[in-house]
Structure formats: C-alpha cells, structure tokens
Amino acid sequence: MTITPSTPKNALPWWRAQLPLLVMSAVILVALPLALDLFRLNLVGKYLTYAFVAVGLVLCWGYGGILSLGQGVFFGLGGYAMAMFLKLEASDPESTKIQSTPGIPDFMDWNQITALPALWEPFHSLTFTLFAIVAVPGFLAFIIGLAMFKRRVGGVYFSIMTQAIAAILSILIIGQQGYTGGVNGITDLKTMLGWDIRTDSAKYILYYVNAGLLIAAVLLGQWLLKSKFGKLLLALRDKEERVRFSGYDVAAFKIFIFTLAAMLSAVGGAMFTLQVGFMSPSFVGIVPSIEMVIFTAVGGRLSLVGAVYGSLLVNFGKSYFSESFPELWLFLMGGLFIAVVMLFPNGLAGLTDSWREWQARRRARDLPRPTGAAPAPTAGDDTPPPSNLRAEGGAA
Amino acid sequence: MHTASHAAPSRASLLTRSLRQLLFGVLAAATPFIAAADAPATSAVNTTGLAVTDTTVTVGQLHSATGTMAISETGSIQAERLAIEQINAMGGVLGRKIEIIQEDGASDWPTFAEKARKLLVNDKVAAVFGCWTSASRKAVLPVFEKENGMLYYPTFYEGLEQSKNVIYTGQEATQQIIAGLDWLAKTKGAKKFYLVGSDYIWPRTSNKIARKHIENVLKGEVVGEDYFPLGHTQFGSLINKIKLKKPDAVYSIIVGGSNVAWWKQLKAAGVTSDKQTILTISVTEDEILGIGGENMVGFYAAMKYFQSLDNENNKKFVAAFKAKYGDKAVIGDVTQAAYLGPWLWKAAVEKAGSFDIDKIAAASPGIELTTAPEGYVKVHENHHLWSKLRIGEALPDGQYKVIYESDLIEPNPFPKGYQ
C-alpha cells in the first residue's frame, strides 16, 4: 500500500472539512432570510451581533483558557462608539431647535450641558468612529491583559477582575448621564451619513453586512486556530508552565487573544447599534456579560460555528418563551441552561461530535477489520480536538 | 382563570385568531351587511390593517412582569386589565371585545424596544398600554413613531417630550411640582428649600424646575441639592447636612428601594414630621408598603391621585380593584393613571369612529373623562392630561389623608423659563 505524503489517507476534501461553516453560512445567508419576515430577520440580525462575542469567547476561553466575564464591556464600547456618531448626526441644529442648546444630543440638554463635550467632538467623523470601534476596546483589552497576564494573574482571579471592570464601566456610564445618556442609553438614532437605517431595505442590507462580517470572523478564527499560534494557544491552556519553560512569552499570546476577542465583541456591538437603533448600559454590566458566556457554552466552547448557533438558539428561546409565557419565561430559560449543561457539557457542538464518534464506532464494527492499524479517530486539522480533551477545560 | 387565557396566548390560539381575522376580513369585504348590526363594518373602522375583526380588537400590554421594575409595574398591569374587563362587560369598543397580548419588558430597555416592535409589526395591535420608567419609554418611542402605533403611558415623568404616538396619562413635571411648592410656601411659609433626589433624568429635571420656581417665583432660596445613585441606602450624611442647614422644607425625589432606607434613617435620626417638613413626589401608597406607614407619619406627598380620595368614581374603582385583586391591594398614583389608559383610548376610538392611529391621535385632544377615579380629566392638545394636584399627609396605616386640592392644571411639557 502506497501513501502519498500530500494527502494523508484520513484527510477530507476541503468542502467536507468546511461543511459546518458552509451549512451555517447557508442558514444565515439564505434559509433564514427566506423563511422569516423582516421583523424576525431583524431580530436574528440582533442575535448574530452577540455571536461575535461568542466567537471571541471560543478563541479566548475555549482555546486560550481565559474566561472573561466582562465581554459586555467591549460589546458596549463598540456599540457606544457607533451610537455617538449616529446620535451626533441625529442632533443637527434643525431637528433639535426645541432645546435650550440646539445642536447637541437631547439628553445633554436635559442635563443642563450647554456645549458638546470634547470627548464627543471626534465622533463627527465616520472614519474616526470606525477606527474607534475596534481601537478603543482593543486598547482597553490590551491594557487589562498587560496588567493581568504580565503578572501571571489567571484563572478565576482574572474572571473576577473582568467582572469588576464590567461593573465599573456600567456604573460610570449610568453616573455620567450628561455625557453618556445614563440609564436611558443613547436612543433615537436615525441616519448614517444621510442613509436612513430604519427603512426595510436598510435592515436587509445591515443584516447581510452583519452576516458577512460574522462569517469573516469565523474564518479568521479558523485560520488562527489552524496556524502554529492555535497549537500554542491550546498548549498554554493545558500546560502553561511547559510553554513558558519552552521559551515562549505566554503573556504576549494571552494578551493577543484577549485583545482580539475584545475587538470582535466591539464589532458586534457596533452592528447591534446599527440594527437596533440604540445602545444602552444594560449591555455593559455583569449580567449581559455572563449571558454571553452562556451563549458560548450552549453552542460549544470549542466550536466557532457552534458559538453562532448557541447565540441564535438562546436568544431565539428568550424571545419565543417570553412572547408565549410572559410570566414564566425566565424559569424556562433557566431550565434550558441547566438541561444543556447537564446533558451536553460540550454544548451543541459536542452533540455532533458524539454523533460522529458513534457513527465511526458503528462503521468500525460493521466493516471487516483491515489487517493494518485501525484509522486514528482524530480527523483533519481544522476539526475540533476529540472530546476527551474538551472535558479537561471544564473547570476554567 | 380568566386573565390567564389572555396572559399566555398559545401559538395555536394566535393562529386561529389570524385565520379568524382572515375569514372575517373576507366576509366583511364581500358582504358588509353580515357584520353585527350594532358594530360598524371592519373595513370602515380599520383602514390600516390593525388587528381588528368584526367582533374583536387586539391591544398590547407592555410592562415589566419580571425584573426589578416588576414590583412597580404590576399595579399598572392590573389596573389596565381591570379597565379592559370593565369595557368588555359594557360591550367593548365599537361593538368589539378587547383582547390582550401581553409582553414582558423584563425591566430591560432594549427588550422593551424589541417587544414594542413585535406588538406593532407582528401583532398589529390597535393600541399599547405600557412602559413605566422614562428609560423604557425613550427606548420604545422611536419604534412607535416609526411604525405609527399608539402608546398610553401612565407614569408621572420629567416632561420635555411630546409625541403624536403617545398619550401621557400621568403628570408631566410642572403639574406635580409647581402647585406643590406654592402650597409649601403658602401654608408652611417655606423660604429655604433642600432638594434631594435619585441620580437620573426625572429627579434632576424635576429639581431643575423646582429650583427655578423657588428662586424666580417664590423668591426663596435653595440651601442644598444632592443626588444619590439608584439603590443608594446610606443617607446619614445627607440627614446631618439637613440638620445643619435647617431648611423650611425638604423636597424629596428619592425613588424605588432607596426610600426604605431614607425614611427609616430619618426617623432613626430623630427627624420627625413635627420638626421638619418634607414633601415628596415619589412615594405613592405602593412604596409605603415597603417603607412602613409608621416611618412616614405626617410627611407630605404631592400626587394627582390618592387611594383615599373621597368621591363616587374612586369608591367604585377601589371596590372593583379590591374585588379583583384582593382586599390587601394598594392603589398608587400610577396605577390609577394606568387605569385611565384603556378608557381614554375607548373614548378616542368612539369619537373618531375608527381604530386608525392617525384618527385616534387627532381625536384625542379635547376628550373628557368624568368617570376617572381622580375626578375629571381632559386630554390636552399636547397629548398630556389636565389634572389636579393633591397634597396627602401620610397616615400610620400607609394611606394618605388628602389635605389640599388644586384647580385643574394645564400640562406644559416644555415650560418656558424653567429650562
């Protein structure tokens, strides 16, 4: 038997290896837009903005072992940056002439502020805003990472710190209501460079932009995980000391992946603002941040595609249960989470893995056993590692 | 239970309802005379595709049934249901029974926006009774304006807003503040005021109006103005400052759970009503349940409605409310304002002879309710209500004794000279 070195015998053609991503793309690009009316599709668009956070969490929690309970901070910062730009555009002197000081956002006027704060000035520019959406959360994550990982703060201590940061930022936003809109958030956003984001056509366009960016984010994640960096990430999750003793700067890798996850969250936040039409501090605090971790856990902590399904499923459940059972829905959601964690500790993606394993086992049993060694159960590079490896990260 | 069937319309019932709507729509279009003799044809009263059939009209209810605001909003949910039940018992609106789709805003403003859009776009409800906090109203307002819905909003609030798509059944800030301050100046001779509040838009805007009125009209003096985060529970230093500055009156807009700490600590520090006049605009009978009547005895509240109001309308309302929700049920200012919503909507629909939002919006100004528990109310051009202001003195049993009643006050959400 000859083995060609370029194609190991258990490697799959590219489209088989990428089947999960292709199916996901087909679902969000074709199936959902065809099956749902615009109202529901707009909701799905909103859910998919959370999927950016979940994809980031798969990278930094599932593979990097860094459990951040403060991803809402970055989602919120991205969303606020976009909201500030849109709010300034909506607050032209003509449409705010009823105010004491026309030309500034309405909530500033209610708070007796008479001139636009310097912090807001640069957000007149869309270029600056787009830059700030990723740069501000990225920079904050970099600083947090630098402060924590260089001092080898990790595990549960890091999670607690991220929670504290989420609490601090939400208190700050609520307290500084003259500059941030306070509890109300930044509402009543209308146009982006004159383009009305509330029209039906705009909603379709934004949905597809969002879906496209999300698929790009998943591809970026896959590419990273396939690279040498991905292997190192896994290694430092499971045996950090060994990686350090091998001469790698562990902190730098952790800072990088945490910053990247923050930037992905921020893109989700900005898309959220565009599609929903406002931003509020209720996305910044501890509770939403933990909810975002739940999306990831439901989808499967080690599957980028699973994270997208997890976000869709949990949020769809939230909308459906709360519409159908307005008094009981929180209990139903709680039941769903408990059921997922008890029955499928590896989330939805774990379920498909178990299915695949079971099938492989059955095939092995049915087929006449070849004389050579049995094929290794591990698949190609880009499929997640087998589930015995997954179970290890559970304590994170 | 009767309400439960409204609370949770199952998928199946929604489906049958839309099938029924379709069927009725076809029938009504084909043979207008099939419609019930006393009800005008659906095609005539509903030209914009709202959820109206020959026998029913569907409205939405959007409050927080869960989360931190549930405790406040439950009263509004109950009052609106009571009103709708009473209207249905009288034959409904334009011969159509009102059906309710309830959605939970879950004390979360983005959820309010999502549910508002769902009610308007998906369910095509003819009106929505809902919201409580300003934040939730701000979140849904663009949705109501974009999708052209009609919201009946019950809470007293800061003003600075007016929309074709909202009827404000509570007081805007000037209606609650100015007459109350005048009363303090006249009966208590107050010249020195201390303003306190929770730190968000409503207390800040209200105190801004109060300060302008005190300084410019009453020619008095504000000796202190302090704000505390929502949920704050340490008022010791504030109480010391009040003792030091000796104001003639403290004007309090502390909201929600903070009230429990605030009034209890006042009592513990020996600040009782015989030594210090305090007027609050944020403590209704609902809040006293938590504070305890014995901690508030003798302090004053300025509201448009107290449960103890002595008139025939109110006696009937209180009796009906207690019959439905139990003897211990307490009715605060906002609960009464929420009760007005369905009645004002009914009156507007009947005046317009149509369920169309534009026609209701146009017909609303000028509508009078003589059956309101608070007495007489009238809808102003600006979609707020003319209403009276009452001063209540807190009693140990958690009720207020009404000791002053103003004339009808014109709503003025954008007060000149107060901004």
Side-chain angles (χ1 to χ4, degrees), chain B residues 7-30:
Chain B
S10 67
R11 262 285 133 91
S13 83
L14 279 176
L15 188 69
T16 42
R17 182 150 64 220
S18 38
L19 277 176
R20 207 163 57 209
Q21 278 165 15
L22 187 72
L23 193 64
F24 276 122
V26 170
L27 282 176

Side-chain angles (χ1 to χ4, degrees), chain A residues 44-68:
Chain A
V44 171
K46 185 173 93 172
Y47 307 158
L48 288 177
T49 63
Y50 304 135
F52 284 91
V53 185
V55 166
L57 276 169
V58 166
L59 293 174
C60 99
W61 175 38
Y63 286 89
I66 306 164
L67 174 56
S68 164

